[in-house]
């Protein structure tokens, strides 16, 4: 039996319990991310933070490349970039490689924000792990590593960085 959205229904397969557990954990982790972002700068949304992380991982990037990685329309990235430029988190520069098109670059403020949020996330997750029974921690590491490997093998996993 599941305790998720299908409560009261019989599991269709052994993978259903795992799927429900991963969904529950993912909601917890989204909450950790939201709290971590808010602790550093409560004006940044989760999608905006994802864009900062993409730029942190890639370095200077064309708007279309960022949109492709985030799986959104370029117009959406344009709107987010404007907000992040106004907040001094992102800068728009001429592409040093071609000297023609513009690229988005993480500013020093944006880089510090990504680093500070990552530190907050680490603290929040460490607190949760500390509350886990010690005998479950090694199993969690093994299971999450296997989950991550399986996710990277997926055709939808074309993102270049583990953070995104």
């Amino acid at each position: 039996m599941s305790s998720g959205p299908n409560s009261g229904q019989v599991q269709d397969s052994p993978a259903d319990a795992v799927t429900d557990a991963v969904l529950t954990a993912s909601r917890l982790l989204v909450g950790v991310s939201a709290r971590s972002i808010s602790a550093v700068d409560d004006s940044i949304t989760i999608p905006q933070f994802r864009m900062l992380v993409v730029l942190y991982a890639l370095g200077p990037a064309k708007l279309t490349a960022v949109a492709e990685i985030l799986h959104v329309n370029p117009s959406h990235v344009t709107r987010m970039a404007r907000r992040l430029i106004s907040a001094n988190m992102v800068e728009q520069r001429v592409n040093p490689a071609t000297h023609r098109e513009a690229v988005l670059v993480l500013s020093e403020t944006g880089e510090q924000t990504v680093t500070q949020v990552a530190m907050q996330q680490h603290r929040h997750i460490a607190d949760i792990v500390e509350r886990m029974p010690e005998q479950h921690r090694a199993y969690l590491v093994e299971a999450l590593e296997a989950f991550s490997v399986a996710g990277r093998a997926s055709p939808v996993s074309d993102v270049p960085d583990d953070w995104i």
Side-chain angles (χ1 to χ4, degrees), residues 53-119:
V53 170
V54 167
L55 293 172
Y56 185 90
L58 294 179
K62 292 193 291 187
L63 186 137
T64 53
V66 174
E68 191 174 307
I69 289 168
L70 293 175
H71 300 287
V72 298
N73 291 326
S75 63
H76 187 68
V77 171
T78 299
R79 287 189 298 276
M80 279 198 302
R82 283 187 195 133
R83 289 183 193 112
L84 292 170
I85 288 168
S86 294
N88 296 318
M89 303 262 181
V90 171
E91 298 170 0
Q92 191 169 358
R93 297 185 186 157
V94 174
N95 187 341
T98 65
H99 301 287
R100 291 187 305 196
E101 71 264 343
V103 292
L104 299 174
V105 180
L106 198 61
S107 70
E108 186 175 326
T109 301
E111 188 172 326
Q112 289 172 353
T113 299
V114 170
T115 302
Q116 289 172 355
V117 169
M119 289 174 15

Side-chain angles (χ1 to χ4, degrees), residues 122 132 146:
H122 187 273
M132 286 179 63

Side-chain angles (χ1 to χ4, degrees), residues 19-160:
T19 301
D20 286 348
V22 170
L23 286 170
T24 299
S26 75
R27 286 189 290 272
L28 173 66
L29 292 171
V30 168
V32 165
S33 291
R35 281 192 309 277
S36 299
I37 293 166
S38 180
V40 173
D41 185 335
D42 63 0
S43 70
I44 300 171
T45 65
I46 290 175
Q48 290 170 343
F49 183 71
R50 285 187 66 222
M51 184 171 157
L52 294 176
V53 170
V54 167
L55 293 172
Y56 185 90
L58 294 179
K62 292 193 291 187
L63 186 137
T64 53
V66 174
E68 191 174 307
I69 289 168
L70 293 175
H71 300 287
V72 298
N73 291 326
S75 63
H76 187 68
V77 171
T78 299
R79 287 189 298 276
M80 279 198 302
R82 283 187 195 133
R83 289 183 193 112
L84 292 170
I85 288 168
S86 294
N88 296 318
M89 303 262 181
V90 171
E91 298 170 0
Q92 191 169 358
R93 297 185 186 157
V94 174
N95 187 341
T98 65
H99 301 287
R100 291 187 305 196
E101 71 264 343
V103 292
L104 299 174
V105 180
L106 198 61
S107 70
E108 186 175 326
T109 301
E111 188 172 326
Q112 289 172 353
T113 299
V114 170
T115 302
Q116 289 172 355
V117 169
M119 289 174 15
Q120 285 288 329
Q121 288 171 321
H122 187 273
R123 283 187 209 117
H124 288 303
I125 292 170
D127 288 344
I128 294 167
V129 169
E130 286 293 323
R131 291 192 301 267
M132 286 179 63
E134 195 167 330
Q135 68 269 20
H136 292 292
R137 294 178 194 170
Y139 294 119
L140 180 62
V141 170
E142 184 179 335
L144 289 174
E145 286 174 350
F147 183 79
S148 296
V149 168
R152 284 190 205 107
S154 166
V156 296
S157 181
D158 57 355
V159 179

